[in-house]
Amino acid sequence: MIGVLLMAYGTPRTLEEVEPFYVNIRGGRQPAPELIANLRRRYEAVGGHTPLLEITTGQAEDLAAALGGQYRVFTGMKHWHPFIEEAVRQMAEAGIARAVALALAPHYSALSIGGYFAAIDEAQAKLGSAIAFERVKSWHLQPAYLAAVAEHTRQASQGFEPEVLVFTAHSLPRRILEQHDPYVDQLQETCRALAERLGGPRWQFAFQSAGATGDAWLGPDILQTIEALANDGVQRVLAAPVGFIADHLEILYDLDVQARQHARERGIELRRIASLNRDPGLIAALADAVHQGDQGRG
Ligand code: FEC
C-alpha cells in the first residue's frame, strides 16, 4: 500500500478560530489587533468561513477513487486542523512505509510548498516516524490541469467576451527573487501554456492577496492592474486565478468582493473563471502527479 499525503492550506472553521489560525500562519507571532479585526471582517463577508476544508476532503475522495486500491490518500493542512502532523500520524499508524506528498497548489516556492514539506519533516521528527516521502514539488504544466483551466476560461468567456484575461496567483515577499526561487518562472510557464491553448487572447499576469507585513511583495497587484486597464479604456476583464485550485478566502473575498468592487468603481466588469474544486480534470492532473512522484520523477 502506497500512501498519498494530500496537503492544503487550511481554513478556520468558525470566526473564533480566525485569530489562532492567523497566529499559526505568522509562525506563532501575534498579529496586531487591527489586522485580526480586518481578517475577521473578510471571513464575515464570505459567510463566516470558507468551503476549503470540504473541498479538500472531496478532492481526496475523488483522488482515491482515481488512483485505485494500491494507494491510500490522507489529507493534512498546513495552518489548521486537521494538521499535516495529524495525517502523518494516521499514516504511520496505518503502517505506511512509502508515500507521495502533494500540495494542492501547482507552483513551487520555498516559501509556500517548501513550508508543506517542512511540516512533514517536523511531524516525522516529533512522531519518530520514518515514512519515505517522495515529494512532488510542482505540477504547473500537468496537461490535465492546463486543459481544465483552459476549459473553465472558455466557459467564462462565452457571452462575456472579455477584452483582457488576467491570470493571477498569490503574491510572495520580493526577497524570493534573490533566492533563485522558481515561483515566478513557473507562473509564467503556466500562463504561456494556457495562452497558447486558448489561441492567444490578450492576457496579463497580476499577483493578488499580498500580506500585511513590512516586506515588499511581488507585483503588479491585481488592483493596480485593474487601474491600468481602466486607464486604457478596458471594460470587460476575466480573472483566471491559476495559482489557486479551490474556492477559499483569496478567491471568494480578495477577487470576488475586493477586486470586483475596485473594478466596478473604475467602470470595469470583472468576472472570474469557476474554481477547479472537484473538476475531474484537476483530479486527473493530481493522479498523474502522484504517479510521476511515485516513479521518483515528482
Ligand atoms: O479559505 C481560507 O480560509 C484560507 C485561504 C488561503 C489560501 C492561501 C494560500 C496561500 N497563501 C500563501 C502565502 C501567504 C503568505 C502570507 C499569507 C497570509 C494569509 C492570511 C490568510 C491566508 N493567507 Fe495565505 N492563503 C490563505 C489565507 N499567505 C487568512 C493572513 C492574512 C493575510 O495576510 O491576508 C503572509 C504571512 C504573514 O502575514 O506573515 C506569505 C500562498 C498561497 C498559495 C499556495 C497554497 O495554497 O499553499 C503562497 C488558500
Side-chain angles (χ1 to χ4, degrees):
M1 176 76 66
I2 299 159
V4 174
L5 177 50
L6 193 64
M7 302 176 290
Y9 199 82
T11 182
R13 292 161 297 192
T14 60
L15 283 176
E16 287 64 46
E17 290 184 350
V18 168
E19 180 172 342
F21 170 69
Y22 201 172
V23 172
N24 185 289
I25 290 173
R26 286 261 162 120
R29 293 180 306 279
Q30 185 69 26
E34 58 274 19
L35 291 180
I36 297 169
N38 182 284
L39 186 57
R40 263 184 84 105
R41 268 196 299 277
R42 286 163 66 202
Y43 278 102
E44 273 164 1
V46 299
H49 73 287
T50 78
L52 181 60
L53 182 58
E54 289 87 334
I55 293 167
T56 307
T57 309
Q59 288 166 335
E61 276 170 32
D62 296 347
L63 179 61
L67 288 171
Q70 200 196 344
Y71 294 88
R72 182 155 166 207
V73 181
F74 298 80
T75 42
M77 309 288 142
K78 184 155 71 161
H79 293 299
W80 205 241
H81 304 277
F83 282 108
I84 287 170
E85 182 186 319
E86 293 166 45
V88 173
R89 179 184 291 115
Q90 287 169 5
M91 295 174 88
E93 284 170 3
I96 300 287
R98 201 156 71 80
V100 177
L102 176 65
L104 285 165
H107 306 89
Y108 182 85
S109 165
L111 274 188
S112 61
I113 307 301
Y116 288 90
F117 297 154
I120 296 176
D121 293 338
E122 281 160 28
Q124 295 240 81
K126 191 168 161 192
L127 301 168
S129 63
I131 300 166
F133 278 101
E134 199 62 59
R135 293 147 200 250
V136 177
K137 290 183 82 176
S138 55
W139 44 275
H140 66 294
L141 292 176
Q142 279 292 339
Y145 154 73
L146 295 174
V149 177
E151 184 50 31
H152 283 216
T153 306
R154 278 188 212 100
Q155 282 171 10
S157 300
Q158 267 168 26
F160 180 48
E161 309 308 331
E163 294 154 86
V164 183
L165 176 60
V166 180
F167 296 116
T168 70
H170 205 293
S171 183
L172 283 173
R174 281 188 66 83
R175 68 186 138 86
I176 65 161
L177 298 179
E178 290 140 35
Q179 294 151 2
H180 306 290
D181 195 277
Y183 188 63
V184 176
D185 288 344
Q186 291 191 354
L187 285 167
Q188 289 297 328
E189 285 168 7
T190 295
C191 297
R192 280 197 294 269
L194 282 168
E196 209 169 287
R197 276 173 183 264
L198 290 163
R202 179 178 167 195
W203 67 273
Q204 278 179 241
F205 176 80
F207 287 101
Q208 62 163 89
S209 312
T213 63
D215 300 291
W217 288 68
L218 294 171
D221 186 85
I222 178 90
L223 302 183
Q224 292 170 320
T225 297
I226 287 168
E227 269 162 45
L229 291 173
N231 290 339
D232 280 355
V234 169
Q235 292 178 331
R236 291 183 313 282
V237 175
L238 181 63
V242 292
F244 302 109
I245 52 97
D247 283 329
H248 48 58
L249 194 70
E250 322 298 74
I251 300 290
L252 302 175
Y253 185 83
D254 296 355
L255 279 185
D256 289 1
V257 178
Q258 188 187 36
R260 190 169 289 168
Q261 185 187 338
H262 195 79
R264 200 181 305 119
E265 288 165 2
R266 286 157 185 80
I268 290 183
E269 184 180 356
L270 176 71
R271 293 194 189 175
R272 74 159 166 93
I273 68 168
S275 298
L276 295 178
N277 293 330
R278 293 176 73 169
D279 187 295
L282 172 68
I283 305 303
L286 299 176
D288 290 343
V290 168
H291 284 134
Q292 286 164 16
D294 194 20
Q295 289 155 21
R297 291 187 280 122

